[in-house]
Amino acid sequence: MTFITAISKEVKFMSDIAKQIQQPKEPWLSKLGLTPRKDVGMHPFRVIVDKEISDLVRSWRFKILIGIIVLTCLGSLYTALTNIGHAVKPGDPDNAFFFLKLFTISDGTLPSFFVFISFLGPLLGISLGFDAINSEQNRGTLSRVMAQPIHRDYLINAKFMASITVISVMFFALGFLVMGLGLVIIGIPPTPEEFLRIVFFIVLSIFYVALWLNLSILFSVRFRQAATSALAGISVWLFFSIFYNLIVKLIARATMPPEMAPERYIVAHRNFILDLMRLSPSQLFSEATTTLLMPSVRSLGPLTMEQVHGTIPSPLPLGQSLLLVWPQLTAIIAITVVCFALSYVFFMRKEIRSR
Amino acid sequence: MAENIIELVDLTKKYGSFTAVNRLNLSVKKGEVFGLLGPNGAGKSTTILMMLGLTEPFSGSVKVCGINSTENPIEVKRRVGYLPEDVGFYPDLTGMENLKYIARLNGIPEKDVEARARELLARVGLAEQAEKKTGKYSRGMRQRLGLAEVLIKTPEVIILDEPTSGIDPTGIREFLELIVQLSKEEGITVLFSSHNLHQVQQVCDRVGLFVSGKLIAEGNIESLSQKLFSTESFVVEAGVNSSGKENNGNGLEEILKDIDGVTSVSQKDHTFYVGCSRDATADIAREIVSSGSELAFLRKKEYGLDDIYNRYFEGGEVHE
């Protein structure tokens, strides 16, 4: 009997909670400060994000960057369109994904769209974040803003939010623009799967830029001079895009097993080198984008003859492609989170002095 | 007696082995203009940062408006306006936009933001420069905009860190007058840090003297000078005419020493410096005249902050 009353009490309690959840006292939108109400002040976090976005969009730096990126997009689109006729070969499993070729093919004079993004993305991220905190400090505005009744982390979070918002809007606009232009010119609409693949590709690019953005925010917290932090960001980028490959090649040559070694040694060595390469974020990104944009890619490591034996050369479905790049995606997000956490900690511990 | 609006108890801040603020006890009453006086690096700014909860004390407690700044900085910052030393603004925004941004950060309703910002800009005398970018503002204008920004949250306490450094003398006077006016009209407590004595002397009700992290003296100017120069609050300079040269000499010095309240007498050429614990100017004049010497001039010298300051920092510099 007591057992039953206990249960009925519990049920009543749960239903009370459910009621509360169903009827929140105030709509969550206004809780977040998303509904502009004239008589109540905006949430300070939103105020900072708004201001940062308008600063970014108005800045010359952003105009220059967007100019470069639009130019490269148009350039790669042009080469893709002029070569798309040669790209279709009979028996190619990628033929079903004709539209995706807009993003991947080139004739060798200009790199394709996704190579451009992987090259320019870091630059974009670094240039949006390298002076996030130190410029505030150097202008003497940091202590002024910090003296307002806001939490300290609002500032760094809002800066990140603002840059990410701008980047997302820009990338989606560019991606859809390329799609739209391609649609108009070649006249073949993308299949839903192609569309989804492109959307995932854009989301992935945003994550990739977010990684570099966070790295440069980290430098901006650590280095007092904006020039130093910009240089630090660019040198990390150059290191990974140029020198890291050289170093890995050197290691590969030095640890190369003899030619007559058993196959498993050679495979192990290949995997080892691939793992080393994957320490670089740009390698992660290019593997992930290749898989997403070229559905015929079915493995990112070496495959033995036994593994390939009997497979039908058909493209992978989207789910399988996503599964394949899941580790890469996780790694990119993990590096992003680590960078952000570090800059967050450093910023929270920083003593805010005037200038 | 009014309540204490700022209370610091045994406040200590250490940077590694260096002690920036050392067991500081200080209280400021409501409606007061309090001057924190000390040389650069004395720990004034650090103390202010701790009051706002921008840096954590090593030990001790800070209470502003009855709220612990270390534990609840947001509530403190809601009530306290802080004008940092050498305040900066976003150079690409106009004065008006800068001010509106801060108003919004303080949660002022959107419908009031514009009106309040305009009213305050007029009050600090920047109404005509409101639409100018702050990158083109002069130092004095920036400082006044900073004050407008401090006032927009209708604070109970204003903390100004070296507010007058780098402004021209007229600007300083106007700025200080504005602060005093505010304090008197609206009953706002003002805490004011400076290394400039004259400004502090002009506006502050009470002064705290700060040397290497320690508050060594506290009080109004008079009580401070009494504390520091307990035996000689006044110095009277008496010039004696050369015609009476033969018959004064040591004689007059002895006579002056006998006056009640006189503690020391020294002579340099024809001028006597008489130190006394009370205002004995009239007696000195009478004695000099009745001794037969001709009195050329008589000047009463009160100790200003300058002297207080020198007295301390002569000692302070030896230690450093």
Side-chain angles (χ1 to χ4, degrees):
Chain A
M1 191 60 208
T2 45
F3 181 66
I4 293 171
T5 45
I7 285 182
S8 67
K9 248 186 202 169
E10 198 67 16
V11 167
K12 194 170 177 295
F13 179 67
M14 293 299 267
S15 67
D16 280 352
I17 290 179
K19 261 182 209 159
Q20 274 172 14
I21 293 171
Q22 274 168 2
Q23 300 165 331
K25 274 177 191 149
E26 51 180 327
W28 63 275
L29 268 176
S30 72
K31 248 185 202 164
L32 288 175
L34 288 176
T35 47
R37 295 219 311 259
K38 279 271 171 184
D39 51 335
V40 178
M42 256 198 285
H43 194 274
F45 185 71
R46 173 109 194 271
V47 175
I48 308 180
V49 173
D50 280 3
K51 188 216 156 249
E52 291 300 329
I53 289 180
S54 78
D55 271 7
L56 274 181
V57 174
R58 278 192 227 164
S59 67
W60 269 105
R61 164 193 349 177
F62 183 72
K63 284 171 197 158
I64 293 170
L65 280 172
I66 211 166
I68 293 175
I69 288 176
V70 166
L71 269 183
T72 53
C73 278
L74 291 180
S76 59
L77 186 66
Y78 175 75
T79 49
L81 285 173
T82 46
N83 289 296
I84 204 151
H86 312 292
V88 187
K89 297 178 198 87
D92 187 353
D94 274 347
N95 277 352
F97 297 91
F98 187 65
F99 201 79
L100 288 180
K101 288 194 186 296
L102 273 183
F103 290 83
T104 52
I105 57 167
S106 87
D107 61 350
T109 48
L110 262 181
S112 58
F113 184 81
F114 85 97
V115 176
F116 259 126
I117 293 292
S118 71
F119 184 70
L120 288 176
L123 191 67
L124 185 71
I126 290 168
S127 59
L128 287 184
F130 76 93
D131 63 347
I133 301 298
N134 50 17
S135 74
E136 294 267 347
Q137 178 129 34
N138 292 337
R139 281 181 299 197
T141 46
L142 187 59
S143 58
R144 201 168 56 100
V145 172
M146 284 298 115
Q148 308 309 325
I150 54 166
H151 292 283
R152 185 186 276 215
D153 56 347
Y154 277 10
L155 188 72
I156 191 163
N157 295 350
K159 292 224 171 223
F160 174 69
M161 270 297 288
S163 307
I164 272 300
T165 313
V166 168
I167 290 170
S168 309
V169 169
M170 195 170 109
F171 272 23
F172 270 106
L174 277 177
F176 288 156
L177 204 71
V178 170
M179 267 196 323
L181 278 178
L183 192 64
V184 168
I185 296 169
I186 61 176
I188 301 169
T191 60
E193 191 185 327
E194 280 175 315
F195 179 76
L196 275 179
R197 278 180 186 270
I198 291 168
V199 168
F200 276 115
F201 162 68
I202 293 172
V203 171
L204 189 70
S205 315
I206 292 169
F207 276 123
Y208 184 55
V209 176
L211 185 158
W212 291 96
L213 174 71
N214 270 320
L215 187 73
S216 67
I217 289 181
L218 174 64
F219 286 139
S220 88
V221 175
R222 290 303 283 170
F223 298 117
R224 191 89 201 241
Q225 297 297 326
T228 317
S229 85
L231 211 60
I234 289 173
S235 45
V236 172
W237 170 50
L238 283 182
F239 173 77
F240 277 120
S241 55
I242 298 174
F243 298 109
Y244 191 72
N245 288 348
L246 289 179
I247 294 170
V248 171
K249 264 178 204 152
L250 277 179
I251 295 175
R253 205 166 296 159
T255 58
M256 183 92 85
E259 259 178 63
M260 301 313 285
E263 192 184 7
R264 63 196 163 93
Y265 284 123
I266 294 174
V267 171
H269 178 254
R270 279 284 304 276
N271 276 330
F272 167 67
I273 295 305
L274 209 57
D275 285 343
L276 274 187
M277 291 290 283
R278 283 180 184 149
L279 289 180
S280 151
S282 51
Q283 173 72 16
L284 293 176
F285 179 69
S286 70
E287 282 183 4
T289 45
T290 320
T291 315
L292 278 178
L293 292 179
M294 296 177 183
S296 58
V297 174
R298 35 181 53 237
S299 165
L300 291 166
L303 285 177
T304 56
M305 280 314 283
E306 291 87 39
Q307 282 171 305
V308 183
H309 182 74
T311 52
I312 307 157
S314 65
L316 287 182
L318 176 60
Q320 291 300 313
S321 285
L322 277 180
L323 215 57
L324 197 57
V325 299
W326 204 248
Q328 274 76 4
L329 188 64
T330 320
I332 287 179
I333 294 176
I335 305 174
T336 313
V337 170
V338 166
C339 285
F340 186 72
L342 278 180
S343 45
Y344 188 90
V345 167
F346 284 133
F347 183 66
M348 292 305 272
R349 286 200 185 155
K350 203 179 170 79
E351 190 179 70
I352 313 281
R353 290 231 161 224
S354 49
R355 296 212 188 189
Chain B
M1 212 61 208
E3 57 188 301
N4 287 336
I5 200 150
I6 298 177
E7 252 191 306
L8 312 182
V9 180
D10 276 342
L11 195 63
T12 306
K13 174 79 187 177
K14 285 183 181 168
Y15 293 104
S17 60
F18 172 69
T19 309
V21 178
N22 192 359
R23 299 183 72 77
L24 175 67
N25 287 291
L26 177 72
S27 52
V28 178
K29 291 181 186 66
K30 202 172 162 57
E32 211 171 27
V33 182
F34 190 89
L36 267 184
L37 193 60
N40 296 332
K44 291 171 294 181
S45 299
T46 309
T47 310
I48 289 174
L49 290 184
M50 285 192 280
M51 285 183 200
L52 288 161
L54 290 179
T55 180
E56 286 187 8
F58 181 78
S59 65
S61 79
V62 197
K63 269 190 175 174
V64 180
C65 305
I67 302 161
N68 190 318
S69 311
T70 319
E71 288 161 9
N72 201 351
I74 304 281
E75 281 306 308
V76 170
K77 287 192 275 190
R78 228 182 274 286
R79 292 173 170 80
V80 179
Y82 167 55
L83 180 62
E85 181 183 357
D86 192 11
V87 61
F89 296 93
Y90 297 106
D92 294 333
L93 301 182
T94 66
M96 188 72 183
E97 285 165 341
N98 265 296
L99 192 56
K100 276 156 105 181
Y101 177 51
I102 295 296
R104 291 195 184 110
L105 280 186
N106 277 288
I108 293 175
E110 197 56 39
K111 63 178 165 51
D112 303 337
V113 168
E114 175 90 24
R116 272 194 68 77
R118 211 161 277 293
E119 177 197 321
L120 277 165
L121 280 175
R123 176 136 202 199
V124 297
L126 284 176
E128 278 156 36
Q129 279 87 12
E131 302 307 326
K132 201 164 141 184
K133 293 208 165 153
T134 46
K136 296 203 168 68
Y137 272 26
S138 72
R139 186 76 197 266
M141 282 154 75
R142 283 215 300 273
Q143 216 69 354
R144 276 188 283 170
L145 182 58
L147 190 63
E149 190 190 278
V150 161
L151 295 172
I152 204 156
K153 60 168 98 164
T154 46
E156 292 170 37
V157 182
I158 303 181
I159 297 178
L160 309 164
D161 195 357
E162 304 270 0
T164 52
S165 59
I167 320 182
D168 60 275
T170 358
I172 291 179
R173 212 185 54 234
E174 285 171 9
F175 191 77
L176 292 178
E177 276 166 8
L178 199 60
I179 292 171
V180 176
Q181 197 193 349
L182 278 170
S183 164
K184 299 289 171 272
E185 282 175 9
E186 324 225 335
I188 301 175
T189 314
V190 181
L191 187 93
F192 179 123
S193 101
S194 178
H195 58 252
N196 189 313
L197 307 145
H198 295 289
Q199 296 162 12
V200 174
Q201 205 163 6
Q202 275 173 35
V203 295
C204 292
D205 300 326
R206 276 197 320 140
V207 176
L209 258 183
F210 233 83
V211 182
S212 42
K214 279 195 162 173
L215 187 73
I216 40 179
E218 184 195 344
N220 56 22
I221 309 277
E222 281 162 48
S223 75
L224 257 188
S225 60
Q226 237 162 39
K227 239 188 231 172
L228 295 177
F229 309 89
S230 49
T231 49
E232 297 175 7
S233 302
F234 301 92
V235 167
V236 180
E237 281 178 46
V240 176
N241 216 328
S242 54
S243 64
K245 199 179 180 179
E246 298 83 33
N247 56 359
N248 58 24
N250 294 333
L252 188 53
E253 205 173 314
E254 291 305 313
I255 294 167
L256 289 176
K257 265 186 186 163
D258 287 341
I259 300 171
D260 179 36
V262 170
T263 48
S264 71
V265 179
S266 60
Q267 187 183 8
K268 197 180 176 192
D269 293 334
H270 305 301
T271 313
F272 288 93
Y273 296 92
V274 186
C276 30
S277 57
R278 62 175 186 96
D279 190 359
T281 323
D283 295 327
I284 292 167
R286 194 179 320 111
E287 290 297 334
I288 292 174
V289 173
S290 65
S291 75
S293 310
E294 276 182 47
L295 184 61
F297 66 87
L298 195 64
R299 197 189 300 140
K300 187 169 75 176
K301 199 177 161 206
E302 252 179 277
Y303 283 114
L305 267 175
D306 261 338
D307 304 277
I308 297 175
Y309 206 53
N310 286 338
R311 190 101 169 196
Y312 258 120
F313 300 136
E314 277 165 14
E317 256 140 29
V318 173
H319 289 299
E320 284 158 11

